[in-house]
Amino acid sequence: MMKLVFSAPGMSCGHCKARVEKALAAAGFKDGVQVNLDDKTVTVESNGSAEKLAAIITDAGYPATLI
């Protein structure tokens, strides 16, 4: 498994965190997800494609860039 960290500006509250976690869980990424509102990052431990994960986060409303 790889640890992928994405910058996701715009996240500011618990609702934002829940929205990203829900979107990732719906796509099968339930474990190994950490959303940090202070740093505005999303960390996913996965063998999934970085592009796919970024698209899921972006579709949830937060433009995601791998860092």
Side-chain angles (χ1 to χ4, degrees):
M1 283 224 198
M2 297 184 301
K3 184 182 278 190
L4 302 169
V5 181
F6 299 89
S7 170
M11 296 188 306
S12 62
C13 65
H15 179 263
C16 300
K17 179 180 177 184
R19 188 172 177 169
V20 170
E21 290 172 339
K22 183 177 179 182
L24 288 166
F29 301 98
K30 295 178 181 153
D31 298 322
V33 174
Q34 294 178 323
V35 178
N36 185 317
L37 294 175
D38 293 332
D39 295 338
K40 310 250 188 281
T41 60
V42 179
T43 303
V44 182
E45 292 184 30
S46 171
N47 288 327
S49 154
E51 292 82 15
K52 179 180 179 181
L53 291 164
I56 293 166
I57 298 165
T58 298
D59 287 348
Y62 310 96
T65 307
L66 186 64
I67 54 175

CSV table of all heavy atoms in Angstrom, one decimal:
chain,number,residue,atom,x,y,z
A,1,MET,N,0.8,-1.2,0.0
A,1,MET,CA,0.0,0.0,0.0
A,1,MET,C,0.9,1.2,0.0
A,1,MET,O,1.9,1.3,0.6
A,1,MET,CB,-0.9,0.0,1.2
A,1,MET,CG,-2.0,-0.9,1.1
A,1,MET,SD,-3.5,0.0,1.7
A,1,MET,CE,-4.5,-1.4,2.0
A,2,MET,N,0.4,2.3,-0.7
A,2,MET,CA,1.0,3.5,-0.7
A,2,MET,C,0.2,4.6,0.1
A,2,MET,O,-1.0,4.5,0.2
A,2,MET,CB,1.1,4.0,-2.1
A,2,MET,CG,2.0,3.2,-3.0
A,2,MET,SD,2.1,3.9,-4.7
A,2,MET,CE,0.4,4.0,-5.2
A,3,LYS,N,0.9,5.5,0.7
A,3,LYS,CA,0.3,6.6,1.4
A,3,LYS,C,0.3,7.8,0.4
A,3,LYS,O,1.4,8.3,0.1
A,3,LYS,CB,1.0,6.9,2.7
A,3,LYS,CG,0.3,8.0,3.5
A,3,LYS,CD,1.0,8.4,4.7
A,3,LYS,CE,0.7,7.4,5.8
A,3,LYS,NZ,1.2,7.8,7.1
A,4,LEU,N,-0.9,8.2,-0.1
A,4,LEU,CA,-1.0,9.3,-1.0
A,4,LEU,C,-1.6,10.5,-0.2
A,4,LEU,O,-2.6,10.4,0.5
A,4,LEU,CB,-1.9,8.9,-2.1
A,4,LEU,CG,-1.4,7.7,-3.0
A,4,LEU,CD1,-2.5,7.3,-3.9
A,4,LEU,CD2,-0.2,8.0,-3.7
A,5,VAL,N,-1.0,11.7,-0.4
A,5,VAL,CA,-1.4,12.9,0.3
A,5,VAL,C,-1.8,13.9,-0.7
A,5,VAL,O,-1.1,14.2,-1.7
A,5,VAL,CB,-0.3,13.5,1.2
A,5,VAL,CG1,-0.8,14.7,2.0
A,5,VAL,CG2,0.1,12.4,2.2
A,6,PHE,N,-3.0,14.4,-0.6
A,6,PHE,CA,-3.6,15.4,-1.5
A,6,PHE,C,-3.8,16.7,-0.8
A,6,PHE,O,-4.3,16.7,0.3
A,6,PHE,CB,-4.9,14.9,-2.1
A,6,PHE,CG,-4.8,13.6,-2.9
A,6,PHE,CD1,-4.9,12.4,-2.2
A,6,PHE,CD2,-4.6,13.6,-4.2
A,6,PHE,CE1,-4.8,11.2,-2.9
A,6,PHE,CE2,-4.4,12.5,-4.9
A,6,PHE,CZ,-4.6,11.2,-4.3
A,7,SER,N,-3.5,17.8,-1.5
A,7,SER,CA,-3.9,19.1,-1.0
A,7,SER,C,-5.4,19.3,-1.5
A,7,SER,O,-5.7,19.0,-2.6
A,7,SER,CB,-3.0,20.2,-1.6
A,7,SER,OG,-3.6,21.5,-1.4
A,8,ALA,N,-6.2,19.7,-0.6
A,8,ALA,CA,-7.7,19.9,-0.9
A,8,ALA,C,-8.1,21.2,-0.3
A,8,ALA,O,-8.8,21.3,0.7
A,8,ALA,CB,-8.5,18.7,-0.4
A,9,PRO,N,-7.7,22.4,-0.9
A,9,PRO,CA,-8.1,23.7,-0.4
A,9,PRO,C,-9.6,23.8,-0.4
A,9,PRO,O,-10.3,23.2,-1.2
A,9,PRO,CB,-7.4,24.7,-1.3
A,9,PRO,CG,-7.1,23.9,-2.5
A,9,PRO,CD,-7.0,22.5,-2.2
A,10,GLY,N,-10.1,24.6,0.5
A,10,GLY,CA,-11.5,24.9,0.6
A,10,GLY,C,-12.2,24.1,1.7
A,10,GLY,O,-13.3,24.5,2.1
A,11,MET,N,-11.6,23.1,2.2
A,11,MET,CA,-12.2,22.3,3.3
A,11,MET,C,-12.0,23.2,4.6
A,11,MET,O,-10.9,23.6,4.9
A,11,MET,CB,-11.5,21.0,3.5
A,11,MET,CG,-11.7,20.0,2.4
A,11,MET,SD,-11.1,18.4,2.8
A,11,MET,CE,-9.4,18.7,3.3
A,12,SER,N,-13.1,23.3,5.3
A,12,SER,CA,-13.0,24.2,6.5
A,12,SER,C,-13.8,23.7,7.7
A,12,SER,O,-13.7,24.3,8.8
A,12,SER,CB,-13.5,25.6,6.2
A,12,SER,OG,-14.8,25.6,5.8
A,13,CYS,N,-14.6,22.7,7.6
A,13,CYS,CA,-15.5,22.3,8.7
A,13,CYS,C,-15.7,20.8,8.7
A,13,CYS,O,-15.3,20.1,7.8
A,13,CYS,CB,-16.8,23.1,8.6
A,13,CYS,SG,-17.8,22.6,7.2
A,14,GLY,N,-16.4,20.4,9.7
A,14,GLY,CA,-16.8,19.0,9.8
A,14,GLY,C,-17.6,18.4,8.7
A,14,GLY,O,-17.5,17.3,8.3
A,15,HIS,N,-18.4,19.3,8.1
A,15,HIS,CA,-19.3,18.9,7.0
A,15,HIS,C,-18.3,18.6,5.8
A,15,HIS,O,-18.6,17.6,5.0
A,15,HIS,CB,-20.3,20.0,6.6
A,15,HIS,CG,-21.1,19.6,5.4
A,15,HIS,ND1,-20.8,20.1,4.1
A,15,HIS,CD2,-22.2,18.9,5.3
A,15,HIS,CE1,-21.7,19.6,3.3
A,15,HIS,NE2,-22.6,18.9,4.0
A,16,CYS,N,-17.3,19.4,5.6
A,16,CYS,CA,-16.4,19.2,4.5
A,16,CYS,C,-15.7,17.9,4.6
A,16,CYS,O,-15.6,17.1,3.7
A,16,CYS,CB,-15.3,20.3,4.4
A,16,CYS,SG,-16.0,22.0,4.2
A,17,LYS,N,-15.2,17.6,5.8
A,17,LYS,CA,-14.5,16.4,6.2
A,17,LYS,C,-15.4,15.2,5.9
A,17,LYS,O,-15.0,14.2,5.2
A,17,LYS,CB,-14.1,16.4,7.6
A,17,LYS,CG,-13.4,15.1,8.0
A,17,LYS,CD,-13.0,15.2,9.5
A,17,LYS,CE,-12.3,13.9,9.9
A,17,LYS,NZ,-12.0,13.8,11.3
A,18,ALA,N,-16.7,15.3,6.4
A,18,ALA,CA,-17.6,14.2,6.2
A,18,ALA,C,-17.9,13.9,4.7
A,18,ALA,O,-18.1,12.8,4.3
A,18,ALA,CB,-18.9,14.4,7.0
A,19,ARG,N,-18.0,15.0,4.0
A,19,ARG,CA,-18.3,14.9,2.5
A,19,ARG,C,-17.2,14.2,1.8
A,19,ARG,O,-17.5,13.3,0.9
A,19,ARG,CB,-18.5,16.3,2.0
A,19,ARG,CG,-19.0,16.3,0.6
A,19,ARG,CD,-19.4,17.8,0.2
A,19,ARG,NE,-19.8,17.8,-1.2
A,19,ARG,CZ,-20.3,18.8,-1.8
A,19,ARG,NH1,-20.6,19.9,-1.1
A,19,ARG,NH2,-20.7,18.7,-3.1
A,20,VAL,N,-16.0,14.5,2.1
A,20,VAL,CA,-14.8,13.8,1.4
A,20,VAL,C,-14.8,12.4,1.9
A,20,VAL,O,-14.6,11.5,1.0
A,20,VAL,CB,-13.5,14.6,1.7
A,20,VAL,CG1,-12.3,13.7,1.3
A,20,VAL,CG2,-13.5,15.9,1.1
A,21,GLU,N,-14.9,12.1,3.2
A,21,GLU,CA,-14.9,10.7,3.7
A,21,GLU,C,-16.0,9.9,3.0
A,21,GLU,O,-15.8,8.7,2.7
A,21,GLU,CB,-15.0,10.7,5.2
A,21,GLU,CG,-13.8,11.3,5.9
A,21,GLU,CD,-13.9,11.4,7.4
A,21,GLU,OE1,-15.0,11.5,7.9
A,21,GLU,OE2,-12.9,11.5,8.0
A,22,LYS,N,-17.2,10.5,2.9
A,22,LYS,CA,-18.3,9.7,2.3
A,22,LYS,C,-18.1,9.4,0.9
A,22,LYS,O,-18.4,8.3,0.4
A,22,LYS,CB,-19.6,10.6,2.5
A,22,LYS,CG,-20.8,9.9,2.0
A,22,LYS,CD,-22.1,10.7,2.2
A,22,LYS,CE,-23.3,10.0,1.7
A,22,LYS,NZ,-24.5,10.8,1.9
A,23,ALA,N,-17.5,10.4,0.1
A,23,ALA,CA,-17.3,10.1,-1.3
A,23,ALA,C,-16.2,9.0,-1.5
A,23,ALA,O,-16.4,8.2,-2.3
A,23,ALA,CB,-16.8,11.4,-1.9
A,24,LEU,N,-15.2,9.1,-0.7
A,24,LEU,CA,-14.1,8.0,-0.8
A,24,LEU,C,-14.7,6.7,-0.3
A,24,LEU,O,-14.4,5.7,-1.0
A,24,LEU,CB,-12.9,8.4,0.1
A,24,LEU,CG,-12.1,9.6,-0.5
A,24,LEU,CD1,-11.1,10.1,0.5
A,24,LEU,CD2,-11.3,9.1,-1.8
A,25,ALA,N,-15.5,6.6,0.7
A,25,ALA,CA,-16.1,5.4,1.2
A,25,ALA,C,-17.0,4.8,0.1
A,25,ALA,O,-17.0,3.6,-0.1
A,25,ALA,CB,-16.8,5.6,2.5
A,26,ALA,N,-17.8,5.6,-0.6
A,26,ALA,CA,-18.7,5.2,-1.6
A,26,ALA,C,-17.9,4.5,-2.8
A,26,ALA,O,-18.4,3.7,-3.5
A,26,ALA,CB,-19.6,6.3,-2.1
A,27,ALA,N,-16.7,5.0,-3.0
A,27,ALA,CA,-15.8,4.4,-4.0
A,27,ALA,C,-15.0,3.3,-3.6
A,27,ALA,O,-14.2,2.7,-4.3
A,27,ALA,CB,-14.9,5.5,-4.6
A,28,GLY,N,-15.2,2.8,-2.3
A,28,GLY,CA,-14.5,1.6,-1.8
A,28,GLY,C,-13.3,1.9,-1.0
A,28,GLY,O,-12.6,1.0,-0.6
A,29,PHE,N,-13.0,3.2,-0.7
A,29,PHE,CA,-11.9,3.6,0.1
A,29,PHE,C,-12.4,3.9,1.5
A,29,PHE,O,-12.5,5.1,1.9
A,29,PHE,CB,-11.1,4.7,-0.5
A,29,PHE,CG,-10.6,4.4,-1.9
A,29,PHE,CD1,-11.4,4.9,-3.0
A,29,PHE,CD2,-9.5,3.7,-2.1
A,29,PHE,CE1,-10.9,4.6,-4.3
A,29,PHE,CE2,-9.0,3.4,-3.4
A,29,PHE,CZ,-9.7,3.9,-4.5
A,30,LYS,N,-12.7,2.9,2.3
A,30,LYS,CA,-13.3,3.1,3.6
A,30,LYS,C,-12.2,3.2,4.7
A,30,LYS,O,-12.3,4.0,5.7
A,30,LYS,CB,-14.2,2.0,4.0
A,30,LYS,CG,-15.4,2.0,3.1
A,30,LYS,CD,-16.4,0.9,3.4
A,30,LYS,CE,-17.5,1.0,2.4
A,30,LYS,NZ,-18.2,-0.2,2.1
A,31,ASP,N,-11.1,2.4,4.6
A,31,ASP,CA,-10.1,2.4,5.6
A,31,ASP,C,-8.9,3.2,5.1
A,31,ASP,O,-8.6,3.3,3.9
A,31,ASP,CB,-9.7,0.9,5.9
A,31,ASP,CG,-10.8,0.1,6.4
A,31,ASP,OD1,-11.6,0.7,7.2
A,31,ASP,OD2,-10.9,-1.1,6.1
A,32,GLY,N,-8.1,3.7,6.0
A,32,GLY,CA,-6.9,4.4,5.7
A,32,GLY,C,-7.1,5.8,5.1
A,32,GLY,O,-6.2,6.3,4.4
A,33,VAL,N,-8.2,6.4,5.5
A,33,VAL,CA,-8.5,7.8,5.0
A,33,VAL,C,-8.4,8.7,6.2
A,33,VAL,O,-9.0,8.5,7.2
A,33,VAL,CB,-9.9,7.9,4.4
A,33,VAL,CG1,-10.2,9.3,4.0
A,33,VAL,CG2,-10.0,7.0,3.1
A,34,GLN,N,-7.6,9.8,6.0
A,34,GLN,CA,-7.5,10.8,7.1
A,34,GLN,C,-7.7,12.2,6.4
A,34,GLN,O,-7.0,12.5,5.4
A,34,GLN,CB,-6.1,10.8,7.7
A,34,GLN,CG,-5.9,9.5,8.5
A,34,GLN,CD,-4.5,9.5,9.1
A,34,GLN,OE1,-3.5,10.0,8.5
A,34,GLN,NE2,-4.4,9.0,10.3
A,35,VAL,N,-8.6,12.9,6.9
A,35,VAL,CA,-8.9,14.3,6.4
A,35,VAL,C,-8.4,15.2,7.5
A,35,VAL,O,-8.9,15.2,8.6
A,35,VAL,CB,-10.4,14.5,6.1
A,35,VAL,CG1,-10.6,15.9,5.6
A,35,VAL,CG2,-10.8,13.5,5.0
A,36,ASN,N,-7.5,16.1,7.2
A,36,ASN,CA,-6.9,17.1,8.1
A,36,ASN,C,-7.4,18.5,7.7
A,36,ASN,O,-6.9,19.0,6.7
A,36,ASN,CB,-5.4,17.0,8.1
A,36,ASN,CG,-4.8,17.9,9.2
A,36,ASN,OD1,-5.2,19.1,9.3
A,36,ASN,ND2,-3.8,17.4,9.9
A,37,LEU,N,-8.3,19.0,8.5
A,37,LEU,CA,-8.9,20.3,8.1
A,37,LEU,C,-7.9,21.5,8.3
A,37,LEU,O,-7.9,22.5,7.6
A,37,LEU,CB,-10.1,20.6,8.9
A,37,LEU,CG,-11.3,19.7,8.6
A,37,LEU,CD1,-12.5,20.0,9.6
A,37,LEU,CD2,-11.8,19.9,7.2
A,38,ASP,N,-7.0,21.3,9.3
A,38,ASP,CA,-6.0,22.4,9.6
A,38,ASP,C,-5.0,22.5,8.4
A,38,ASP,O,-4.7,23.6,8.0
A,38,ASP,CB,-5.2,22.1,10.9
A,38,ASP,CG,-6.0,22.1,12.1
A,38,ASP,OD1,-7.0,22.9,12.1
A,38,ASP,OD2,-5.7,21.4,13.1
A,39,ASP,N,-4.6,21.4,7.9
A,39,ASP,CA,-3.6,21.4,6.8
A,39,ASP,C,-4.3,21.4,5.4
A,39,ASP,O,-3.6,21.6,4.4
A,39,ASP,CB,-2.7,20.2,6.8
A,39,ASP,CG,-1.8,20.2,8.0
A,39,ASP,OD1,-1.5,21.3,8.6
A,39,ASP,OD2,-1.3,19.2,8.4
A,40,LYS,N,-5.6,21.2,5.4
A,40,LYS,CA,-6.4,21.1,4.2
A,40,LYS,C,-5.8,19.9,3.3
A,40,LYS,O,-5.6,20.1,2.1
A,40,LYS,CB,-6.4,22.4,3.4
A,40,LYS,CG,-6.8,23.6,4.3
A,40,LYS,CD,-8.1,24.1,3.9
A,40,LYS,CE,-8.4,25.4,4.6
A,40,LYS,NZ,-8.8,25.3,6.0
A,41,THR,N,-5.6,18.8,3.9
A,41,THR,CA,-5.1,17.6,3.2
A,41,THR,C,-6.0,16.4,3.4
A,41,THR,O,-6.7,16.3,4.4
A,41,THR,CB,-3.6,17.3,3.7
A,41,THR,OG1,-3.7,17.0,5.1
A,41,THR,CG2,-2.7,18.4,3.4
A,42,VAL,N,-5.9,15.5,2.5
A,42,VAL,CA,-6.5,14.2,2.5
A,42,VAL,C,-5.4,13.2,2.3
A,42,VAL,O,-4.7,13.2,1.3
A,42,VAL,CB,-7.6,14.1,1.5
A,42,VAL,CG1,-8.3,12.7,1.6
A,42,VAL,CG2,-8.7,15.2,1.6
A,43,THR,N,-5.3,12.2,3.2
A,43,THR,CA,-4.3,11.2,3.1
A,43,THR,C,-5.1,9.9,2.9
A,43,THR,O,-6.0,9.6,3.7
A,43,THR,CB,-3.4,11.1,4.4
A,43,THR,OG1,-2.8,12.3,4.6
A,43,THR,CG2,-2.4,10.0,4.3
A,44,VAL,N,-4.7,9.1,1.9
A,44,VAL,CA,-5.3,7.8,1.6
A,44,VAL,C,-4.2,6.8,1.5
A,44,VAL,O,-3.3,6.9,0.7
A,44,VAL,CB,-6.1,7.9,0.3
A,44,VAL,CG1,-6.9,6.6,0.1
A,44,VAL,CG2,-7.1,9.0,0.4
A,45,GLU,N,-4.4,5.7,2.3
A,45,GLU,CA,-3.5,4.5,2.2
A,45,GLU,C,-4.2,3.6,1.2
A,45,GLU,O,-5.2,3.0,1.5
A,45,GLU,CB,-3.2,3.9,3.5
A,45,GLU,CG,-2.4,4.8,4.4
A,45,GLU,CD,-2.1,4.1,5.7
A,45,GLU,OE1,-2.0,2.9,5.8
A,45,GLU,OE2,-1.9,4.8,6.7
A,46,SER,N,-3.6,3.4,0.0
A,46,SER,CA,-4.3,2.7,-1.0
A,46,SER,C,-3.3,2.2,-2.1
A,46,SER,O,-2.2,2.8,-2.3
A,46,SER,CB,-5.4,3.5,-1.6
A,46,SER,OG,-5.9,2.9,-2.7
A,47,ASN,N,-3.7,1.2,-2.8
A,47,ASN,CA,-3.0,0.9,-4.0
A,47,ASN,C,-3.7,1.4,-5.3
A,47,ASN,O,-3.4,1.1,-6.4
A,47,ASN,CB,-3.0,-0.7,-4.2
A,47,ASN,CG,-2.0,-1.3,-3.2
A,47,ASN,OD1,-1.0,-0.7,-2.8
A,47,ASN,ND2,-2.3,-2.4,-2.7
A,48,GLY,N,-4.7,2.3,-5.0
A,48,GLY,CA,-5.5,2.9,-6.1
A,48,GLY,C,-4.7,4.0,-6.8
A,48,GLY,O,-3.7,4.4,-6.3
A,49,SER,N,-5.3,4.3,-7.9
A,49,SER,CA,-4.6,5.3,-8.8
A,49,SER,C,-4.8,6.7,-8.1
A,49,SER,O,-5.9,7.1,-7.7
A,49,SER,CB,-5.3,5.3,-10.1
A,49,SER,OG,-5.3,6.5,-10.8
A,50,ALA,N,-3.7,7.5,-8.1
A,50,ALA,CA,-3.7,8.8,-7.6
A,50,ALA,C,-4.7,9.7,-8.4
A,50,ALA,O,-5.4,10.5,-7.8
A,50,ALA,CB,-2.3,9.5,-7.6
A,51,GLU,N,-4.8,9.5,-9.7
A,51,GLU,CA,-5.7,10.3,-10.5
A,51,GLU,C,-7.2,10.0,-10.1
A,51,GLU,O,-8.0,10.9,-10.1
A,51,GLU,CB,-5.5,10.0,-12.0
A,51,GLU,CG,-4.1,10.5,-12.5
A,51,GLU,CD,-3.0,9.6,-12.2
A,51,GLU,OE1,-3.2,8.4,-11.8
A,51,GLU,OE2,-1.8,10.0,-12.3
A,52,LYS,N,-7.5,8.7,-9.9
A,52,LYS,CA,-8.8,8.3,-9.5
A,52,LYS,C,-9.2,8.9,-8.1
A,52,LYS,O,-10.3,9.5,-8.0
A,52,LYS,CB,-9.0,6.8,-9.4
A,52,LYS,CG,-10.3,6.4,-9.0
A,52,LYS,CD,-10.4,4.8,-9.0
A,52,LYS,CE,-11.8,4.4,-8.5
A,52,LYS,NZ,-11.9,3.0,-8.4
A,53,LEU,N,-8.3,8.9,-7.2
A,53,LEU,CA,-8.5,9.4,-5.9
A,53,LEU,C,-8.7,10.9,-5.9
A,53,LEU,O,-9.6,11.5,-5.3
A,53,LEU,CB,-7.4,9.0,-4.9
A,53,LEU,CG,-7.3,7.6,-4.6
A,53,LEU,CD1,-6.0,7.2,-3.9
A,53,LEU,CD2,-8.5,7.2,-3.6
A,54,ALA,N,-7.9,11.6,-6.7
A,54,ALA,CA,-8.0,13.1,-6.9
A,54,ALA,C,-9.3,13.4,-7.5
A,54,ALA,O,-10.0,14.4,-7.1
A,54,ALA,CB,-6.9,13.6,-7.7
A,55,ALA,N,-9.8,12.6,-8.5
A,55,ALA,CA,-11.1,12.9,-9.1
A,55,ALA,C,-12.2,12.7,-8.1
A,55,ALA,O,-13.2,13.5,-8.1
A,55,ALA,CB,-11.3,11.9,-10.3
A,56,ILE,N,-12.1,11.7,-7.2
A,56,ILE,CA,-13.2,11.5,-6.2
A,56,ILE,C,-13.3,12.7,-5.3
A,56,ILE,O,-14.4,13.2,-5.0
A,56,ILE,CB,-12.9,10.2,-5.4
A,56,ILE,CG1,-13.1,9.0,-6.4
A,56,ILE,CG2,-13.9,10.1,-4.3
A,56,ILE,CD1,-12.5,7.7,-5.8
A,57,ILE,N,-12.1,13.2,-4.8
A,57,ILE,CA,-12.1,14.3,-3.9
A,57,ILE,C,-12.6,15.6,-4.6
A,57,ILE,O,-13.4,16.4,-4.1
A,57,ILE,CB,-10.7,14.5,-3.3
A,57,ILE,CG1,-10.3,13.3,-2.5
A,57,ILE,CG2,-10.6,15.8,-2.5
A,57,ILE,CD1,-8.8,13.2,-2.2
A,58,THR,N,-12.2,15.8,-5.9
A,58,THR,CA,-12.6,16.9,-6.6
A,58,THR,C,-14.1,16.9,-6.9
A,58,THR,O,-14.8,17.9,-6.7
A,58,THR,CB,-11.8,17.0,-8.0
A,58,THR,OG1,-10.4,17.1,-7.7
A,58,THR,CG2,-12.3,18.1,-8.8
A,59,ASP,N,-14.6,15.7,-7.2
A,59,ASP,CA,-16.1,15.6,-7.4
A,59,ASP,C,-16.9,15.9,-6.2
A,59,ASP,O,-18.0,16.2,-6.2
A,59,ASP,CB,-16.4,14.2,-8.0
A,59,ASP,CG,-16.0,14.0,-9.4
A,59,ASP,OD1,-15.6,15.0,-10.1
A,59,ASP,OD2,-16.0,12.8,-9.9
A,60,ALA,N,-16.2,15.7,-5.0
A,60,ALA,CA,-16.9,16.0,-3.7
A,60,ALA,C,-16.9,17.5,-3.5
A,60,ALA,O,-17.6,17.9,-2.5
A,60,ALA,CB,-16.2,15.2,-2.6
A,61,GLY,N,-16.2,18.2,-4.3
A,61,GLY,CA,-16.3,19.7,-4.2
A,61,GLY,C,-15.0,20.4,-3.8
A,61,GLY,O,-15.0,21.6,-3.6
A,62,TYR,N,-13.9,19.6,-3.7
A,62,TYR,CA,-12.6,20.2,-3.3
A,62,TYR,C,-11.5,19.8,-4.2
A,62,TYR,O,-11.1,18.7,-4.3
A,62,TYR,CB,-12.3,19.7,-1.8
A,62,TYR,CG,-13.5,19.9,-0.9
A,62,TYR,CD1,-14.4,18.9,-0.7
A,62,TYR,CD2,-13.7,21.2,-0.4
A,62,TYR,CE1,-15.5,19.1,0.1
A,62,TYR,CE2,-14.8,21.4,0.4
A,62,TYR,CZ,-15.7,20.3,0.6
A,62,TYR,OH,-16.8,20.5,1.4
A,63,PRO,N,-11.0,20.8,-5.0
A,63,PRO,CA,-10.0,20.5,-6.0
A,63,PRO,C,-8.8,19.8,-5.3
A,63,PRO,O,-8.2,20.4,-4.4
A,63,PRO,CB,-9.6,21.8,-6.6
A,63,PRO,CG,-10.3,22.8,-5.8
A,63,PRO,CD,-11.3,22.2,-4.9
A,64,ALA,N,-8.4,18.6,-5.8
A,64,ALA,CA,-7.3,17.9,-5.1
A,64,ALA,C,-6.1,17.8,-6.0
A,64,ALA,O,-6.2,17.6,-7.2
A,64,ALA,CB,-7.8,16.5,-4.8
A,65,THR,N,-5.0,18.0,-5.4
A,65,THR,CA,-3.7,17.9,-6.0
A,65,THR,C,-2.8,17.0,-5.2
A,65,THR,O,-2.6,17.2,-4.0
A,65,THR,CB,-3.0,19.3,-6.2
A,65,THR,OG1,-3.9,20.2,-6.8
A,65,THR,CG2,-1.7,19.2,-7.0
A,66,LEU,N,-2.1,16.0,-5.8
A,66,LEU,CA,-1.2,15.2,-5.1
A,66,LEU,C,0.0,16.0,-4.7
A,66,LEU,O,0.6,16.8,-5.4
A,66,LEU,CB,-0.8,14.0,-6.0
A,66,LEU,CG,0.1,12.9,-5.4
A,66,LEU,CD1,-0.6,12.2,-4.3
A,66,LEU,CD2,0.6,12.0,-6.5
A,67,ILE,N,0.4,15.8,-3.4
A,67,ILE,CA,1.6,16.6,-2.9
A,67,ILE,C,2.6,15.6,-2.4
A,67,ILE,O,2.4,14.4,-2.2
A,67,ILE,CB,1.2,17.6,-1.8
A,67,ILE,CG1,0.5,16.9,-0.6
A,67,ILE,CG2,0.4,18.7,-2.4
A,67,ILE,CD1,0.2,17.9,0.5
